[in-house]
Amino acid sequence: MEATEQVKILQAIYAGALADSVLRLGNEGVLEKVTLQKRAEQFAGGKARAMQLGITSPDEVFTKLSELMGCADWTISPDENGGFTATASRCMLCALAKKMGAQSPCRIYCLDPMEGMVKGLDENAEYDVQDTLYEGSGCRVIVTSLPK
């Protein structure tokens, strides 16, 4: 088996494990509480996590995680003010969670960790989730950098 194929299998197993945990946390009625706790952790360690992954700019949070995790197909559209819109039209984790009948995995395992890294790299960044694949037809996040 080729290394590329092995990585894809591991990515699918990991996404499945995350979707299963969302299903179980949701069934136990603690998903929202755990998501809020994890959000605080993601914000506290966002810059360190980004550095650990070799991410040096807010847009790389989306592109490098897309490459590494193989989950969502994030693309970046820069705007004229130095910000950007990140969009995804497919996400393995979201699809698996829906198939299992789980609640949305978007915040706990994707959007909040990415927001923590974005704000860790740019403390003045605004991070606005417009839509998710769980709720709609695509995931869309607008990131703007406010003057320091």
Side-chain angles (χ1 to χ4, degrees):
M1 184 181 307
E2 296 291 320
T4 306
E5 189 178 347
Q6 290 174 334
V7 169
K8 287 183 187 279
I9 290 169
L10 290 172
Q11 290 169 332
I13 291 169
Y14 183 65
L18 294 179
D20 182 64
S21 73
V22 169
L23 175 67
R24 294 174 190 282
L25 290 168
N27 287 346
E28 293 299 320
V30 296
L31 179 60
E32 187 174 332
K33 178 182 179 182
V34 174
T35 299
L36 289 173
Q37 291 170 345
K38 294 290 293 172
R39 181 176 171 82
E41 293 170 11
Q42 301 294 351
F43 277 58
K47 184 173 185 170
R49 175 59 47 95
M51 294 298 131
Q52 198 176 45
L53 296 171
I55 296 170
T56 59
S57 64
D59 62 311
E60 286 183 350
V61 170
F62 295 88
T63 58
K64 287 197 174 185
L65 286 178
S66 187
E67 291 172 21
L68 177 66
M69 304 307 291
C71 193
D73 64 343
W74 290 106
T75 58
I76 302 297
S77 300
D79 69 21
E80 64 278 353
N81 299 317
F84 61 89
T85 299
T87 55
S89 61
R90 63 177 175 76
C91 173
M92 185 180 352
L93 174 57
C94 192
L96 288 170
K98 283 182 174 183
K99 190 173 186 177
M100 291 178 166
Q103 293 178 7
S104 173
C106 302
R107 281 286 177 189
I108 192 169
Y109 291 128
C110 185
L111 297 171
D112 288 353
M114 289 192 305
E115 183 176 6
M117 286 186 264
V118 165
K119 290 185 174 181
L121 293 167
D122 180 356
E123 63 189 29
N124 295 311
E126 291 289 325
Y127 184 96
D128 185 20
V129 177
Q130 297 285 303
D131 199 7
T132 68
L133 277 159
Y134 193 86
E135 305 277 331
S137 61
C139 205
R140 186 167 173 251
V141 178
I142 298 173
V143 176
T144 53
S145 185
L146 302 175
K148 296 178 181 179

